[in-house]
Amino acid sequence: MTIKWVLHWQPNAGTTVNSQILNEVSQCVESINGVKEGRWKATLTFYKPIIREQVSTAEFPREFLGITLPEQPNKYYFVIRGQKIVLEAEQNIQAIMEKLQSYKTRVALNFEGFQYQLGDFQLRVGKVVPMQSESLRGIVMEMEYLPLSSLDKSRKMLEEFFDIWQEALSKRSLPGHFLHIEPNFTEFGLSDGYTSQHTAVQYATIMAQLIATAQAVQAVRN
């Protein structure tokens, strides 16, 4: 297993994300000799419970996330942020959930874009859009370091590469920057050895940030 940082675009105050920023970011990757390798796509689904009778809502999660990752097409990941739980299941769990009708989809988002190779690193730059829509909700970037799978041992390499990337991107004077917020993986019972569950937790963290940013923009408009 390799190691990943999942980052999101944080717009400057009073600005929003748009396709021009996404294009500029993609061009920047190519300008530092990133070789385009093809497309990638991950999906994230918000689930909320279907309450049929008077039951205590404390008995089950109020909401949780389901995540599919391209590197594990036969797996499905659940993240319950409130209880700091991450689970790996088989992909067919989605069909089982539909039959049980305990939870329903509140919103589903696609993370999709292009993958680039830069030496020992892979970069994936993509847009965040609702399913059946092209309405841009955010921009994400996966920064993957291929030789190592230890969070601690790879931290310095990732930090140095991120600094180089930020410097290259700053020359384009875009209204915002990429933000890396590393979750406390130990709270989720995850160790230093990186797994796809670490990636799922990072996507859940990013989703919370995207929602907070959207709410802040809405508050300013109101």
Side-chain angles (χ1 to χ4, degrees), residues 163-176:
D163 287 345
I164 293 168
W165 164 250
Q166 291 282 67
E167 186 180 342
L169 196 60
S170 68
K171 294 173 182 173
R172 294 177 178 257
S173 303
L174 298 175

Side-chain angles (χ1 to χ4, degrees), residues 98-116:
E98 272 188 37
K99 289 178 181 175
L100 290 175
Q101 293 193 331
S102 300
Y103 284 83
K104 64 179 177 181
T105 298
R106 184 171 151 202
V107 64
L109 298 168
N110 287 331
F111 297 71
E112 55 187 344
F114 288 98
Q115 175 173 304
Y116 302 85

Side-chain angles (χ1 to χ4, degrees), residues 109-112 126-130 135-140 206-207 210:
L109 298 168
N110 287 331
F111 297 71
E112 55 187 344
K127 58 187 178 180
V128 185
V129 292
S135 173
L136 189 66
R137 298 297 173 86
I139 298 169
V140 295
I206 275 186
M207 211 50 245
L210 290 175

Side-chain angles (χ1 to χ4, degrees), residues 43-47 64-69 72-78 89-105 108 131:
T43 63
L44 186 149
T45 304
F46 273 93
Y47 291 99
F64 63 85
L65 300 175
I67 301 166
T68 61
L69 300 171
Q72 295 282 5
N74 298 321
K75 301 293 183 183
Y76 198 66
Y77 295 89
F78 293 104
E90 297 301 317
Q91 184 67 249
N92 64 1
I93 190 69
Q94 294 180 84
I96 295 169
M97 286 174 64
E98 272 188 37
K99 289 178 181 175
L100 290 175
Q101 293 193 331
S102 300
Y103 284 83
K104 64 179 177 181
T105 298
M131 284 192 183

Side-chain angles (χ1 to χ4, degrees), residues 73-92:
N74 298 321
K75 301 293 183 183
Y76 198 66
Y77 295 89
F78 293 104
V79 179
I80 307 171
R81 292 187 75 242
Q83 282 96 329
K84 299 291 188 288
I85 294 171
V86 57
L87 300 169
E88 180 182 273
E90 297 301 317
Q91 184 67 249
N92 64 1

Side-chain angles (χ1 to χ4, degrees), residues 106-216:
R106 184 171 151 202
V107 64
L109 298 168
N110 287 331
F111 297 71
E112 55 187 344
F114 288 98
Q115 175 173 304
Y116 302 85
Q117 185 83 26
L118 292 92
D120 286 338
F121 290 88
Q122 277 186 339
L123 283 184
R124 296 174 189 88
V125 176
K127 58 187 178 180
V128 185
V129 292
M131 284 192 183
Q132 284 87 46
S133 169
E134 284 299 313
S135 173
L136 189 66
R137 298 297 173 86
I139 298 169
V140 295
M141 183 173 75
E142 284 191 7
M143 203 167 76
E144 184 172 10
Y145 184 53
L146 303 173
L148 292 175
S149 60
S150 163
L151 285 163
D152 282 341
K153 289 178 182 175
S154 60
R155 189 177 308 280
K156 191 171 187 303
M157 292 297 296
L158 283 159
E159 286 174 350
E160 288 177 358
F161 183 80
F162 185 51
D163 287 345
I164 293 168
W165 164 250
Q166 291 282 67
E167 186 180 342
L169 196 60
S170 68
K171 294 173 182 173
R172 294 177 178 257
S173 303
L174 298 175
H177 60 280
F178 276 104
L179 196 59
H180 175 238
I181 300 173
E182 184 169 307
N184 186 339
F185 292 118
T186 56
E187 289 183 346
F188 288 84
L190 299 175
S191 66
D192 178 64
Y194 196 85
T195 67
S196 293
Q197 293 186 39
H198 289 76
T199 305
V201 170
Q202 289 192 78
Y203 269 103
T205 302
I206 275 186
M207 211 50 245
Q209 291 298 316
L210 290 175
I211 290 169
T213 299
Q215 288 173 340

